[in-house]
Amino acid sequence: MTALDKPGFAAKARAGETIWTAGAFDALSAKLAEEAGFAAVMSTGFGVSASHLGAPDVELYTMTENLAVVRNMANALSVPLIADTDTGYGNAINVMRTVREFEQAGVAAMILEDQEVPKRCPAVANAVEILPIDEGSAKIRAAVEARRDPDTLIVARTDAFNEADGIARAKAYVAAGADLIQPISRGFQSFEALKRLRAACGVPLSLQILGWLESDLTPEQIEELAGLAVFPLVALMTATAAMRANLQALSQAHSTQGLPQQVAGLTAFKSFIGFDEVERQKAKFLVRELPASLALASDG
């Protein structure tokens, strides 16, 4: 499956054929997720905020800042990209522009949540402010109307902490045209609760494998419920732990000998990131040889 195979990606997700997905926070982590064998990649707003602003996920970045990161990720991938588009960055009219911009950037799906603007990450916030259900539904209707390709998936996320409210919202968002429903782990706290949501809303779920879902659910249980199954933060937390360990050791020893975490080899990394392909394209298209001084500089 390639990024251009949106019909196949959309059909699988809508049919509940689980697409296992890794979260990424920039183009490099997205490429590593694809290399690992994931069928799709999701941009995580939590990770984008942390890696690009060094700040928490409280919608501090703008739509265009997120779009720039997502566009680079889409350009680096040959598998579908699912974009975390937060609240759509405003009301239903803002959502329409958000959908068009991210669709043009090359994403295969967008996740829109029903919090008030600016949002707060429900994984860490004690409480969040939720839109009235009719306003949340209107934003989903606007997103569905704005997309130009019917195979661009609209995933409606409800941040309701209460199961009954979450089910009511899920049903309303499906009626508004949502392709999948994404609950938060705090709103549905058991496999049986997720099964009730899946039965009530009538479409597959998009599950972020965090909290109790990460520790308590088996892959088979997830596949019973989900069109999309995402591990959103493994890459971010892995990179953070590895860099922290090596940088702390480096600051003490002032030497790269004996670092606690393995470091990628430069030659292999240059090949992975595309230097070999650039050299092939240079040989194919550049009609003049680079001056020796510039060629030497480019080796650095």
Side-chain angles (χ1 to χ4, degrees):
M1 182 183 297
T2 70
L4 298 178
D5 185 22
K6 287 170 68 175
F9 170 78
K12 284 185 175 183
R14 285 171 172 150
E17 184 178 338
T18 305
I19 299 169
W20 290 94
T21 304
F25 50 89
D26 60 9
L28 175 59
S29 56
K31 283 174 66 68
L32 288 166
E34 179 178 357
E35 181 192 52
F38 282 95
V41 175
M42 188 198 83
S43 70
T44 158
F46 189 101
V48 169
S49 190
S51 62
H52 290 268
L53 299 183
D57 183 18
V58 290
E59 210 168 69
L60 292 174
Y61 56 71
T62 64
M63 184 273 280
T64 51
E65 286 177 310
N66 189 23
L67 179 65
V69 176
V70 168
R71 181 180 289 114
N72 287 339
M73 293 170 71
N75 286 338
L77 291 171
S78 59
V79 297
L81 177 64
I82 304 153
D84 180 351
T85 48
D86 301 297
T87 61
Y89 311 103
N91 62 24
I93 307 307
N94 299 100
V95 165
M96 295 182 81
R97 184 193 172 208
T98 296
V99 167
R100 288 170 181 156
E101 293 284 353
F102 278 79
E103 191 174 36
Q104 188 176 40
V107 306
M110 281 167 262
I111 302 168
L112 292 160
E113 57 204 64
D114 58 2
Q115 280 197 46
E116 295 276 4
V117 179
K119 53 75 67 76
R120 289 183 290 175
C121 177
V124 294
N126 291 326
V128 296
E129 297 179 9
I130 306 293
L131 293 172
I133 193 167
D134 57 347
E135 188 175 347
S137 299
K139 290 176 76 169
I140 297 302
R141 287 200 309 274
V144 171
E145 183 172 320
R147 67 182 172 188
R148 292 184 167 91
D149 184 343
D151 288 316
T152 299
L153 296 180
I154 302 298
V155 180
R157 178 176 124 182
T158 178
D159 286 12
F161 282 15
N162 175 274
E163 180 181 331
D165 186 25
I167 287 177
R169 288 172 177 275
K171 292 168 71 174
Y173 300 159
V174 170
D179 297 292
L180 283 80
I181 292 295
Q182 182 171 300
I184 57 171
S185 60
R186 292 169 71 170
F188 296 84
Q189 298 188 2
S190 70
F191 177 59
E192 293 303 320
L194 289 175
K195 286 176 69 175
R196 289 191 291 270
L197 172 63
R198 171 68 178 87
C201 72
V203 299
L205 304 183
S206 169
L207 294 180
Q208 303 284 298
I209 315 302
L210 291 169
W212 71 267
L213 286 83
E214 193 169 12
S215 59
D216 294 359
L217 292 187
T218 66
E220 292 75 21
Q221 287 174 314
I222 291 169
E223 289 179 343
E224 186 176 333
L225 302 168
L228 295 174
V230 184
F231 294 94
L233 299 182
V234 172
L236 176 68
M237 298 309 177
T238 300
T240 300
M243 286 191 288
R244 173 178 283 145
N246 275 3
L247 289 171
Q248 286 179 346
L250 188 62
S251 73
Q252 296 296 315
H254 299 162
S255 170
T256 59
Q257 304 302 308
L259 292 176
Q261 296 296 321
Q262 182 179 354
V263 176
L266 182 59
T267 299
F269 183 82
K270 286 171 66 176
S271 178
F272 168 74
I273 209 66
F275 276 98
D276 293 344
E277 178 61 22
V278 169
E279 291 303 316
R280 283 192 290 271
Q281 298 297 340
K282 283 165 59 177
K284 182 177 180 180
F285 294 114
L286 296 188
V287 296
R288 289 183 299 165
E289 238 179 79
L290 286 174
S293 59
L294 290 179
L296 288 173
S298 70
D299 288 342

